[in-house]
Amino acid sequence: MKFSINRSRFIKTLNDVQRAIASKATIPILTGLKMSLSEEGLTLTGSDADISIEAMIANDDPDAQLQINETGAIVLPARFFGEIVKKLPEQLMTIAVSDGFQTTITSGASSFNINGLDANSYPRLPEISAEEKLTIPADILKQVISQTVIAVSNQESRPILTGVHLTVHDTELLAVATDSHRLSQRKLTIENPHDLEYDVIIPGKSLTELAKIITDDLESVTLRITENQVLFTAGVIKFYSRLLEGSYPDTERLIPTESTTNVEFESGTLLASVERASLLSHASQNNVVRLVFEPENQQATIYSNSPELGNVQEDLKFESLTGEKLDISFNPDYMKDALRSFGQTNIKMAFTSALRPFTLIPSEDGANFVQLITPVRTF
Amino acid sequence: MKFSINRSRFIKTLNDVQRAIASKATIPILTGLKMSLSEEGLTLTGSDADISIEAMIANDDPDAQLQINETGAIVLPARFFGEIVKKLPEQLMTIAVSDGFQTTITSGASSFNINGLDANSYPRLPEISAEEKLTIPADILKQVISQTVIAVSNQESRPILTGVHLTVHDTELLAVATDSHRLSQRKLTIENPHDLEYDVIIPGKSLTELAKIITDDLESVTLRITENQVLFTAGVIKFYSRLLEGSYPDTERLIPTESTTNVEFESGTLLASVERASLLSHASQNNVVRLVFEPENQQATIYSNSPELGNVQEDLKFESLTGEKLDISFNPDYMKDALRSFGQTNIKMAFTSALRPFTLIPSEDGANFVQLITPVRTF
């Protein structure tokens, strides 16, 4: 294998693919970057067994200045190779593989020799033969991911909860995540010309990484699903993730349909108040803030205290407050995550009792996005 | 104590003073911020026993909107108090101390109660009665610090080497630091109207912190020294540091006065080459790069290798190369620190043999700044 390429163009794709490459791996070759060069172009591959990312720099890419001298493939230590490429002196670099997988990287007066590995030893990527695919607008998919992954569990004790439950039926896509203390559910109407039906659980970590490669210039992302793999195609990047096995709990019944206390806030204003209160709850062992609603007096107050440091109280600014008096305590970090996921907008909160989960929905389009938080019993 | 103040103005000074406050301290009250309010203004004090910083926000500071209701003093948990102040909702905040050192911080609808400590228990700052002082241009002092602290030792086994040796005699100020592997020496001509004579060792860490509070808007910094303390005054900020006790080794004789191989480089170009070579040396156990100078062929080459990963070689671009052939190895990190301290300029390197320390000086004004690096024996 031998080729020359523009370094900036190469680094852009390298950065995308490196997201999948861990610095330590139980399968040592997975700390490597696979490069394979065909007449069509240069394909970079990285994988950590859960996620694999493959991206091609096409032969005719005008920014790449790709000059192909000899096709072939090699695996190089990813992190180290990346550091070298980023520090080379000239815009153009040449990579040449000789016998025994010795690889020479030259640029200007600088010449690196590094030990590569046989590309034939690199694991094959899953074959996804599914022809039918879903197409989702890129910005919407990115939003769905950011709104649901916040509620994913990071505890391996119930692995199924570390994923986002994705179902597709007719033209409805439903994404749900819960760590059993809070839940986030997002609905979406999509085009589904092939009447695809999906019911899968995608690891939250995979979606977080996927969101990072969905750049603003992308219009849409396509989605193909097989029994145990999902393939997202975003521009020239193919993003593979394994699926989680098992059945996701029934979450529909968790979301209350009635309420006795209702309050509307501007999300940013409430977020700032919760952030202040959490300064004290974080200093305390149980990390709890307390909200007291008094609809009769049109008063809403947030409290928190740390026996060691002190306490805080703040009258909350709300848009409207109706229903019964309520005194409820909860983990402010769940509330902060939830509020941030709405952006700057008005939100409605609905409560039934101090011990029952409460919901947050956007004041507009409330049917498509709901966050649920379980309170903490403090008495 | 009770006062109101503009939060942005307060935070600016708080940030300066917090540099001296550790989040953990063997003397618990030192994790606190001392505030004392007199009719002249509000004085903030922070200290970690080695460094103390005191800054005043004057009564008539137009940005402060300081309204003094009752003078007094209090010590508050610094980090926690700082987080609160930064998150308060309005521009103005009010701080009021009641019985038992309970302190109420209010801003808009938000009210924090935190437990303070008796300001009388806070250690007194050293009294520096010295009337005579030296005045040094702020930018020059900052440069002297950045050029010397790089060579300070971070090993407590020889505490004296963790400081910068500062001597003042007539109109010459000399600053030297060495960790016994490398040395940095900077000379300066100063005004010395009182004929002060100093020979002190200032902890490198103190100088690093001092440099951070020397902002671009400052014209000069004054320097007062007593037996075991130094006081730098930078605008409204008083910066105290203890001095290191003991006598500094005689470094003058370490700097070679003759050389047999001489080479001139543009510092940035050489730095980039050394950074590339160090990618491999860092991956190797002994972290060494090798320079080979061949004046006869007008050739200079840098090499490094890691048995595991590979090797690098690069022809260096130099301005001039004269003298004898030389093959020398050294720690590239020392070289990188030294080169960065010169900025973008031409530098001269002078060598005598592969086992003797070599020097780097700026091509212009070479008498006032020298860096010395001890090579590594590799055979």
Side-chain angles (χ1 to χ4, degrees), chain A residues 87 109-111 113-115 276 279 308-315, chain B residues 80 87 109-111 113-115 276 279 308-315:
Chain A
K87 283 205 184 289
S110 183
S111 170
N113 267 299
I114 65 177
N115 307 324
R276 280 189 285 276
L279 290 177
E308 231 179 77
L309 288 167
N311 59 67
V312 56
Q313 97 170 54
E314 182 170 337
D315 291 337
Chain B
F80 182 58
K87 283 204 184 289
S110 183
S111 171
N113 266 300
I114 65 176
N115 307 323
R276 280 189 285 277
L279 290 177
E308 232 178 76
L309 288 167
N311 59 67
V312 56
Q313 97 169 57
E314 180 171 338
D315 291 337

PDB file of all heavy atoms in Angstrom, chain A residues 87 109-111 113-115 276 279 308-315, chain B residues 80 87 109-111 113-115 276 279 308-315:
ATOM      1  N   LYS A  87       1.095  16.207  13.897  1.00  0.00           N
ATOM      2  CA  LYS A  87       2.293  17.030  14.113  1.00  0.00           C
ATOM      3  C   LYS A  87       3.210  17.110  12.897  1.00  0.00           C
ATOM      4  O   LYS A  87       4.240  17.774  12.954  1.00  0.00           O
ATOM      5  CB  LYS A  87       3.084  16.471  15.305  1.00  0.00           C
ATOM      6  CG  LYS A  87       2.462  16.833  16.659  1.00  0.00           C
ATOM      7  CD  LYS A  87       3.497  16.820  17.756  1.00  0.00           C
ATOM      8  CE  LYS A  87       2.914  17.070  19.115  1.00  0.00           C
ATOM      9  NZ  LYS A  87       2.474  18.459  19.300  1.00  0.00           N
ATOM     10  N   ALA A 109      10.759  16.952   5.606  1.00  0.00           N
ATOM     11  CA  ALA A 109      12.025  16.326   5.971  1.00  0.00           C
ATOM     12  C   ALA A 109      11.847  15.288   7.070  1.00  0.00           C
ATOM     13  O   ALA A 109      12.812  14.729   7.575  1.00  0.00           O
ATOM     14  CB  ALA A 109      13.022  17.392   6.425  1.00  0.00           C
ATOM     15  N   SER A 110      10.592  15.034   7.467  1.00  0.00           N
ATOM     16  CA  SER A 110      10.324  14.177   8.604  1.00  0.00           C
ATOM     17  C   SER A 110       9.895  12.790   8.139  1.00  0.00           C
ATOM     18  O   SER A 110       9.088  12.664   7.221  1.00  0.00           O
ATOM     19  CB  SER A 110       9.222  14.815   9.453  1.00  0.00           C
ATOM     20  OG  SER A 110       8.977  14.064  10.597  1.00  0.00           O
ATOM     21  N   SER A 111      10.436  11.763   8.773  1.00  0.00           N
ATOM     22  CA  SER A 111      10.132  10.402   8.341  1.00  0.00           C
ATOM     23  C   SER A 111       9.953   9.494   9.545  1.00  0.00           C
ATOM     24  O   SER A 111      10.867   9.319  10.346  1.00  0.00           O
ATOM     25  CB  SER A 111      11.281   9.902   7.463  1.00  0.00           C
ATOM     26  OG  SER A 111      11.138   8.536   7.209  1.00  0.00           O
ATOM     27  N   ASN A 113       8.947   5.665  11.002  1.00  0.00           N
ATOM     28  CA  ASN A 113       8.753   4.244  10.710  1.00  0.00           C
ATOM     29  C   ASN A 113       7.992   3.635  11.852  1.00  0.00           C
ATOM     30  O   ASN A 113       8.480   3.645  12.987  1.00  0.00           O
ATOM     31  CB  ASN A 113      10.105   3.532  10.639  1.00  0.00           C
ATOM     32  CG  ASN A 113      10.618   3.490   9.237  1.00  0.00           C
ATOM     33  OD1 ASN A 113       9.966   2.909   8.369  1.00  0.00           O
ATOM     34  ND2 ASN A 113      11.758   4.125   9.019  1.00  0.00           N
ATOM     35  N   ILE A 114       6.797   3.110  11.613  1.00  0.00           N
ATOM     36  CA  ILE A 114       6.115   2.484  12.733  1.00  0.00           C
ATOM     37  C   ILE A 114       5.661   1.073  12.379  1.00  0.00           C
ATOM     38  O   ILE A 114       5.482   0.723  11.206  1.00  0.00           O
ATOM     39  CB  ILE A 114       4.962   3.337  13.305  1.00  0.00           C
ATOM     40  CG1 ILE A 114       3.843   3.515  12.314  1.00  0.00           C
ATOM     41  CG2 ILE A 114       5.466   4.696  13.759  1.00  0.00           C
ATOM     42  CD1 ILE A 114       2.672   4.298  12.905  1.00  0.00           C
ATOM     43  N   ASN A 115       5.546   0.279  13.430  1.00  0.00           N
ATOM     44  CA  ASN A 115       5.206  -1.127  13.241  1.00  0.00           C
ATOM     45  C   ASN A 115       3.702  -1.283  13.096  1.00  0.00           C
ATOM     46  O   ASN A 115       2.954  -0.945  14.003  1.00  0.00           O
ATOM     47  CB  ASN A 115       5.695  -1.959  14.427  1.00  0.00           C
ATOM     48  CG  ASN A 115       7.176  -1.746  14.705  1.00  0.00           C
ATOM     49  OD1 ASN A 115       7.968  -1.576  13.770  1.00  0.00           O
ATOM     50  ND2 ASN A 115       7.558  -1.721  15.974  1.00  0.00           N
ATOM     51  N   ARG A 276     -29.058  26.690  41.659  1.00  0.00           N
ATOM     52  CA  ARG A 276     -28.652  27.338  42.912  1.00  0.00           C
ATOM     53  C   ARG A 276     -28.953  26.426  44.108  1.00  0.00           C
ATOM     54  O   ARG A 276     -28.107  26.227  44.972  1.00  0.00           O
ATOM     55  CB  ARG A 276     -29.386  28.675  43.085  1.00  0.00           C
ATOM     56  CG  ARG A 276     -28.776  29.796  42.292  1.00  0.00           C
ATOM     57  CD  ARG A 276     -29.393  31.138  42.651  1.00  0.00           C
ATOM     58  NE  ARG A 276     -30.724  31.315  42.101  1.00  0.00           N
ATOM     59  CZ  ARG A 276     -30.981  31.739  40.864  1.00  0.00           C
ATOM     60  NH1 ARG A 276     -29.979  32.017  40.049  1.00  0.00           N
ATOM     61  NH2 ARG A 276     -32.211  31.888  40.448  1.00  0.00           N
ATOM     62  N   LEU A 279     -26.593  23.563  44.762  1.00  0.00           N
ATOM     63  CA  LEU A 279     -25.294  23.840  45.381  1.00  0.00           C
ATOM     64  C   LEU A 279     -25.293  23.315  46.813  1.00  0.00           C
ATOM     65  O   LEU A 279     -24.301  22.761  47.293  1.00  0.00           O
ATOM     66  CB  LEU A 279     -25.014  25.347  45.403  1.00  0.00           C
ATOM     67  CG  LEU A 279     -24.723  26.013  44.065  1.00  0.00           C
ATOM     68  CD1 LEU A 279     -24.551  27.505  44.262  1.00  0.00           C
ATOM     69  CD2 LEU A 279     -23.467  25.404  43.447  1.00  0.00           C
ATOM     70  N   GLU A 308     -24.124  20.847  57.366  1.00  0.00           N
ATOM     71  CA  GLU A 308     -22.802  21.417  57.612  1.00  0.00           C
ATOM     72  C   GLU A 308     -22.681  22.863  57.137  1.00  0.00           C
ATOM     73  O   GLU A 308     -22.159  23.726  57.831  1.00  0.00           O
ATOM     74  CB  GLU A 308     -21.774  20.581  56.849  1.00  0.00           C
ATOM     75  CG  GLU A 308     -20.610  20.126  57.681  1.00  0.00           C
ATOM     76  CD  GLU A 308     -19.688  19.293  56.824  1.00  0.00           C
ATOM     77  OE1 GLU A 308     -18.953  19.899  56.026  1.00  0.00           O
ATOM     78  OE2 GLU A 308     -19.720  18.042  56.941  1.00  0.00           O
ATOM     79  N   LEU A 309     -23.201  23.119  55.934  1.00  0.00           N
ATOM     80  CA  LEU A 309     -22.905  24.403  55.308  1.00  0.00           C
ATOM     81  C   LEU A 309     -23.988  25.464  55.484  1.00  0.00           C
ATOM     82  O   LEU A 309     -23.677  26.644  55.619  1.00  0.00           O
ATOM     83  CB  LEU A 309     -22.640  24.197  53.818  1.00  0.00           C
ATOM     84  CG  LEU A 309     -21.318  23.513  53.499  1.00  0.00           C
ATOM     85  CD1 LEU A 309     -21.275  23.074  52.051  1.00  0.00           C
ATOM     86  CD2 LEU A 309     -20.142  24.448  53.780  1.00  0.00           C
ATOM     87  N   GLY A 310     -25.250  25.055  55.451  1.00  0.00           N
ATOM     88  CA  GLY A 310     -26.304  26.052  55.589  1.00  0.00           C
ATOM     89  C   GLY A 310     -27.522  25.684  54.783  1.00  0.00           C
ATOM     90  O   GLY A 310     -27.754  24.514  54.489  1.00  0.00           O
ATOM     91  N   ASN A 311     -28.315  26.671  54.382  1.00  0.00           N
ATOM     92  CA  ASN A 311     -29.527  26.379  53.622  1.00  0.00           C
ATOM     93  C   ASN A 311     -29.824  27.492  52.628  1.00  0.00           C
ATOM     94  O   ASN A 311     -29.237  28.568  52.671  1.00  0.00           O
ATOM     95  CB  ASN A 311     -30.710  26.179  54.581  1.00  0.00           C
ATOM     96  CG  ASN A 311     -30.949  27.412  55.433  1.00  0.00           C
ATOM     97  OD1 ASN A 311     -31.333  28.451  54.916  1.00  0.00           O
ATOM     98  ND2 ASN A 311     -30.697  27.308  56.732  1.00  0.00           N
ATOM     99  N   VAL A 312     -30.732  27.169  51.703  1.00  0.00           N
ATOM    100  CA  VAL A 312     -31.120  28.139  50.691  1.00  0.00           C
ATOM    101  C   VAL A 312     -32.629  28.093  50.542  1.00  0.00           C
ATOM    102  O   VAL A 312     -33.246  27.047  50.711  1.00  0.00           O
ATOM    103  CB  VAL A 312     -30.433  27.833  49.339  1.00  0.00           C
ATOM    104  CG1 VAL A 312     -30.735  26.423  48.877  1.00  0.00           C
ATOM    105  CG2 VAL A 312     -30.833  28.836  48.265  1.00  0.00           C
ATOM    106  N   GLN A 313     -33.238  29.237  50.247  1.00  0.00           N
ATOM    107  CA  GLN A 313     -34.646  29.246  49.883  1.00  0.00           C
ATOM    108  C   GLN A 313     -34.840  30.310  48.828  1.00  0.00           C
ATOM    109  O   GLN A 313     -34.124  31.320  48.799  1.00  0.00           O
ATOM    110  CB  GLN A 313     -35.520  29.475  51.114  1.00  0.00           C
ATOM    111  CG  GLN A 313     -35.980  30.890  51.355  1.00  0.00           C
ATOM    112  CD  GLN A 313     -37.027  30.921  52.468  1.00  0.00           C
ATOM    113  OE1 GLN A 313     -36.789  30.412  53.565  1.00  0.00           O
ATOM    114  NE2 GLN A 313     -38.168  31.498  52.190  1.00  0.00           N
ATOM    115  N   GLU A 314     -35.755  30.036  47.915  1.00  0.00           N
ATOM    116  CA  GLU A 314     -35.955  30.982  46.820  1.00  0.00           C
ATOM    117  C   GLU A 314     -37.398  30.922  46.345  1.00  0.00           C
ATOM    118  O   GLU A 314     -37.951  29.847  46.130  1.00  0.00           O
ATOM    119  CB  GLU A 314     -35.004  30.640  45.657  1.00  0.00           C
ATOM    120  CG  GLU A 314     -35.112  31.609  44.499  1.00  0.00           C
ATOM    121  CD  GLU A 314     -34.013  31.408  43.458  1.00  0.00           C
ATOM    122  OE1 GLU A 314     -32.942  30.862  43.785  1.00  0.00           O
ATOM    123  OE2 GLU A 314     -34.248  31.794  42.300  1.00  0.00           O
ATOM    124  N   ASP A 315     -38.010  32.093  46.209  1.00  0.00           N
ATOM    125  CA  ASP A 315     -39.350  32.177  45.625  1.00  0.00           C
ATOM    126  C   ASP A 315     -39.216  32.009  44.122  1.00  0.00           C
ATOM    127  O   ASP A 315     -38.449  32.734  43.486  1.00  0.00           O
ATOM    128  CB  ASP A 315     -39.972  33.544  45.929  1.00  0.00           C
ATOM    129  CG  ASP A 315     -40.287  33.690  47.406  1.00  0.00           C
ATOM    130  OD1 ASP A 315     -40.445  32.637  48.075  1.00  0.00           O
ATOM    131  OD2 ASP A 315     -40.351  34.826  47.896  1.00  0.00           O
TER     132      ASP A 315
ATOM    133  N   PHE B  80     -17.345  27.001  48.165  1.00  0.00           N
ATOM    134  CA  PHE B  80     -18.794  26.939  48.194  1.00  0.00           C
ATOM    135  C   PHE B  80     -19.403  28.338  48.044  1.00  0.00           C
ATOM    136  O   PHE B  80     -20.317  28.571  47.240  1.00  0.00           O
ATOM    137  CB  PHE B  80     -19.211  26.289  49.515  1.00  0.00           C
ATOM    138  CG  PHE B  80     -20.665  26.113  49.683  1.00  0.00           C
ATOM    139  CD1 PHE B  80     -21.396  25.368  48.769  1.00  0.00           C
ATOM    140  CD2 PHE B  80     -21.321  26.675  50.755  1.00  0.00           C
ATOM    141  CE1 PHE B  80     -22.754  25.199  48.925  1.00  0.00           C
ATOM    142  CE2 PHE B  80     -22.675  26.502  50.916  1.00  0.00           C
ATOM    143  CZ  PHE B  80     -23.397  25.770  50.003  1.00  0.00           C
ATOM    144  N   LYS B  87     -23.660  32.009  40.883  1.00  0.00           N
ATOM    145  CA  LYS B  87     -24.957  31.561  40.365  1.00  0.00           C
ATOM    146  C   LYS B  87     -26.131  32.444  40.796  1.00  0.00           C
ATOM    147  O   LYS B  87     -27.269  32.161  40.437  1.00  0.00           O
ATOM    148  CB  LYS B  87     -25.211  30.123  40.824  1.00  0.00           C
ATOM    149  CG  LYS B  87     -24.414  29.095  40.030  1.00  0.00           C
ATOM    150  CD  LYS B  87     -25.087  27.744  40.087  1.00  0.00           C
ATOM    151  CE  LYS B  87     -24.274  26.674  39.383  1.00  0.00           C
ATOM    152  NZ  LYS B  87     -24.271  26.831  37.922  1.00  0.00           N
ATOM    153  N   ALA B 109     -34.868  36.978  44.435  1.00  0.00           N
ATOM    154  CA  ALA B 109     -35.738  36.168  45.281  1.00  0.00           C
ATOM    155  C   ALA B 109     -34.981  35.037  45.975  1.00  0.00           C
ATOM    156  O   ALA B 109     -35.572  34.193  46.632  1.00  0.00           O
ATOM    157  CB  ALA B 109     -36.866  35.581  44.441  1.00  0.00           C
ATOM    158  N   SER B 110     -33.660  35.018  45.797  1.00  0.00           N
ATOM    159  CA  SER B 110     -32.858  33.905  46.299  1.00  0.00           C
ATOM    160  C   SER B 110     -32.153  34.297  47.600  1.00  0.00           C
ATOM    161  O   SER B 110     -31.602  35.394  47.707  1.00  0.00           O
ATOM    162  CB  SER B 110     -31.829  33.537  45.232  1.00  0.00           C
ATOM    163  OG  SER B 110     -31.078  32.434  45.627  1.00  0.00           O
ATOM    164  N   SER B 111     -32.191  33.399  48.560  1.00  0.00           N
ATOM    165  CA  SER B 111     -31.598  33.714  49.860  1.00  0.00           C
ATOM    166  C   SER B 111     -30.838  32.506  50.407  1.00  0.00           C
ATOM    167  O   SER B 111     -31.428  31.446  50.641  1.00  0.00           O
ATOM    168  CB  SER B 111     -32.719  34.121  50.823  1.00  0.00           C
ATOM    169  OG  SER B 111     -32.220  34.225  52.123  1.00  0.00           O
ATOM    170  N   ASN B 113     -28.395  30.931  53.445  1.00  0.00           N
ATOM    171  CA  ASN B 113     -27.865  31.073  54.796  1.00  0.00           C
ATOM    172  C   ASN B 113     -26.682  30.151  54.930  1.00  0.00           C
ATOM    173  O   ASN B 113     -26.845  28.934  54.797  1.00  0.00           O
ATOM    174  CB  ASN B 113     -28.913  30.626  55.817  1.00  0.00           C
ATOM    175  CG  ASN B 113     -29.710  31.803  56.292  1.00  0.00           C
ATOM    176  OD1 ASN B 113     -29.147  32.744  56.851  1.00  0.00           O
ATOM    177  ND2 ASN B 113     -31.008  31.760  56.052  1.00  0.00           N
ATOM    178  N   ILE B 114     -25.498  30.669  55.176  1.00  0.00           N
ATOM    179  CA  ILE B 114     -24.393  29.732  55.350  1.00  0.00           C
ATOM    180  C   ILE B 114     -23.642  30.014  56.642  1.00  0.00           C
ATOM    181  O   ILE B 114     -23.647  31.126  57.165  1.00  0.00           O
ATOM    182  CB  ILE B 114     -23.451  29.668  54.121  1.00  0.00           C
ATOM    183  CG1 ILE B 114     -22.728  30.976  53.882  1.00  0.00           C
ATOM    184  CG2 ILE B 114     -24.215  29.281  52.868  1.00  0.00           C
ATOM    185  CD1 ILE B 114     -21.736  30.868  52.740  1.00  0.00           C
ATOM    186  N   ASN B 115     -23.018  28.950  57.148  1.00  0.00           N
ATOM    187  CA  ASN B 115     -22.328  29.042  58.426  1.00  0.00           C
ATOM    188  C   ASN B 115     -20.938  29.614  58.211  1.00  0.00           C
ATOM    189  O   ASN B 115     -20.127  29.027  57.500  1.00  0.00           O
ATOM    190  CB  ASN B 115     -22.230  27.657  59.078  1.00  0.00           C
ATOM    191  CG  ASN B 115     -23.594  26.993  59.180  1.00  0.00           C
ATOM    192  OD1 ASN B 115     -24.598  27.664  59.424  1.00  0.00           O
ATOM    193  ND2 ASN B 115     -23.643  25.675  58.975  1.00  0.00           N
ATOM    194  N   ARG B 276       7.890  16.431  17.387  1.00  0.00           N
ATOM    195  CA  ARG B 276       7.634  15.223  16.602  1.00  0.00           C
ATOM    196  C   ARG B 276       8.491  14.067  17.129  1.00  0.00           C
ATOM    197  O   ARG B 276       7.996  12.961  17.339  1.00  0.00           O
ATOM    198  CB  ARG B 276       7.943  15.462  15.122  1.00  0.00           C
ATOM    199  CG  ARG B 276       6.840  16.177  14.386  1.00  0.00           C
ATOM    200  CD  ARG B 276       7.088  16.190  12.885  1.00  0.00           C
ATOM    201  NE  ARG B 276       8.122  17.137  12.496  1.00  0.00           N
ATOM    202  CZ  ARG B 276       7.903  18.438  12.308  1.00  0.00           C
ATOM    203  NH1 ARG B 276       6.703  18.944  12.461  1.00  0.00           N
ATOM    204  NH2 ARG B 276       8.883  19.235  11.938  1.00  0.00           N
ATOM    205  N   LEU B 279       7.361  12.333  20.288  1.00  0.00           N
ATOM    206  CA  LEU B 279       6.243  11.382  20.218  1.00  0.00           C
ATOM    207  C   LEU B 279       6.762   9.965  20.399  1.00  0.00           C
ATOM    208  O   LEU B 279       6.145   9.142  21.067  1.00  0.00           O
ATOM    209  CB  LEU B 279       5.533  11.480  18.864  1.00  0.00           C
ATOM    210  CG  LEU B 279       4.716  12.744  18.605  1.00  0.00           C
ATOM    211  CD1 LEU B 279       4.143  12.703  17.191  1.00  0.00           C
ATOM    212  CD2 LEU B 279       3.604  12.866  19.627  1.00  0.00           C
ATOM    213  N   GLU B 308       9.115  -0.692  20.728  1.00  0.00           N
ATOM    214  CA  GLU B 308       7.799  -1.247  20.464  1.00  0.00           C
ATOM    215  C   GLU B 308       7.128  -0.643  19.234  1.00  0.00           C
ATOM    216  O   GLU B 308       6.537  -1.343  18.423  1.00  0.00           O
ATOM    217  CB  GLU B 308       6.905  -0.953  21.671  1.00  0.00           C
ATOM    218  CG  GLU B 308       6.204  -2.153  22.242  1.00  0.00           C
ATOM    219  CD  GLU B 308       5.395  -1.749  23.438  1.00  0.00           C
ATOM    220  OE1 GLU B 308       4.325  -1.160  23.228  1.00  0.00           O
ATOM    221  OE2 GLU B 308       5.838  -1.997  24.582  1.00  0.00           O
ATOM    222  N   LEU B 309       7.205   0.695  19.126  1.00  0.00           N
ATOM    223  CA  LEU B 309       6.367   1.373  18.135  1.00  0.00           C
ATOM    224  C   LEU B 309       7.079   1.686  16.820  1.00  0.00           C
ATOM    225  O   LEU B 309       6.462   1.643  15.763  1.00  0.00           O
ATOM    226  CB  LEU B 309       5.812   2.669  18.723  1.00  0.00           C
ATOM    227  CG  LEU B 309       4.724   2.458  19.769  1.00  0.00           C
ATOM    228  CD1 LEU B 309       4.454   3.738  20.532  1.00  0.00           C
ATOM    229  CD2 LEU B 309       3.441   1.966  19.116  1.00  0.00           C
ATOM    230  N   GLY B 310       8.379   2.039  16.897  1.00  0.00           N
ATOM    231  CA  GLY B 310       9.058   2.379  15.664  1.00  0.00           C
ATOM    232  C   GLY B 310      10.096   3.463  15.875  1.00  0.00           C
ATOM    233  O   GLY B 310      10.596   3.642  16.988  1.00  0.00           O
ATOM    234  N   ASN B 311      10.416   4.210  14.819  1.00  0.00           N
ATOM    235  CA  ASN B 311      11.424   5.250  14.960  1.00  0.00           C
ATOM    236  C   ASN B 311      11.116   6.430  14.061  1.00  0.00           C
ATOM    237  O   ASN B 311      10.264   6.358  13.173  1.00  0.00           O
ATOM    238  CB  ASN B 311      12.816   4.680  14.648  1.00  0.00           C
ATOM    239  CG  ASN B 311      12.879   4.127  13.243  1.00  0.00           C
ATOM    240  OD1 ASN B 311      12.788   4.871  12.278  1.00  0.00           O
ATOM    241  ND2 ASN B 311      12.997   2.799  13.108  1.00  0.00           N
ATOM    242  N   VAL B 312      11.808   7.538  14.322  1.00  0.00           N
ATOM    243  CA  VAL B 312      11.621   8.742  13.529  1.00  0.00           C
ATOM    244  C   VAL B 312      12.984   9.339  13.219  1.00  0.00           C
ATOM    245  O   VAL B 312      13.916   9.232  14.023  1.00  0.00           O
ATOM    246  CB  VAL B 312      10.740   9.768  14.290  1.00  0.00           C
ATOM    247  CG1 VAL B 312      11.312  10.096  15.643  1.00  0.00           C
ATOM    248  CG2 VAL B 312      10.528  11.046  13.473  1.00  0.00           C
ATOM    249  N   GLN B 313      13.106   9.946  12.067  1.00  0.00           N
ATOM    250  CA  GLN B 313      14.306  10.727  11.779  1.00  0.00           C
ATOM    251  C   GLN B 313      13.911  11.927  10.946  1.00  0.00           C
ATOM    252  O   GLN B 313      12.953  11.861  10.174  1.00  0.00           O
ATOM    253  CB  GLN B 313      15.356   9.862  11.094  1.00  0.00           C
ATOM    254  CG  GLN B 313      15.411   9.942   9.583  1.00  0.00           C
ATOM    255  CD  GLN B 313      16.659   9.249   9.067  1.00  0.00           C
ATOM    256  OE1 GLN B 313      16.882   8.068   9.343  1.00  0.00           O
ATOM    257  NE2 GLN B 313      17.472   9.971   8.319  1.00  0.00           N
ATOM    258  N   GLU B 314      14.592  13.034  11.176  1.00  0.00           N
ATOM    259  CA  GLU B 314      14.211  14.249  10.459  1.00  0.00           C
ATOM    260  C   GLU B 314      15.432  15.131  10.255  1.00  0.00           C
ATOM    261  O   GLU B 314      16.200  15.369  11.182  1.00  0.00           O
ATOM    262  CB  GLU B 314      13.133  15.004  11.265  1.00  0.00           C
ATOM    263  CG  GLU B 314      12.664  16.282  10.589  1.00  0.00           C
ATOM    264  CD  GLU B 314      11.449  16.909  11.285  1.00  0.00           C
ATOM    265  OE1 GLU B 314      10.713  16.187  11.996  1.00  0.00           O
ATOM    266  OE2 GLU B 314      11.250  18.116  11.115  1.00  0.00           O
ATOM    267  N   ASP B 315      15.610  15.601   9.020  1.00  0.00           N
ATOM    268  CA  ASP B 315      16.663  16.579   8.731  1.00  0.00           C
ATOM    269  C   ASP B 315      16.212  17.928   9.254  1.00  0.00           C
ATOM    270  O   ASP B 315      15.128  18.401   8.898  1.00  0.00           O
ATOM    271  CB  ASP B 315      16.896  16.669   7.224  1.00  0.00           C
ATOM    272  CG  ASP B 315      17.533  15.390   6.699  1.00  0.00           C
ATOM    273  OD1 ASP B 315      18.164  14.674   7.499  1.00  0.00           O
ATOM    274  OD2 ASP B 315      17.367  15.103   5.497  1.00  0.00           O
TER     275      ASP B 315
END
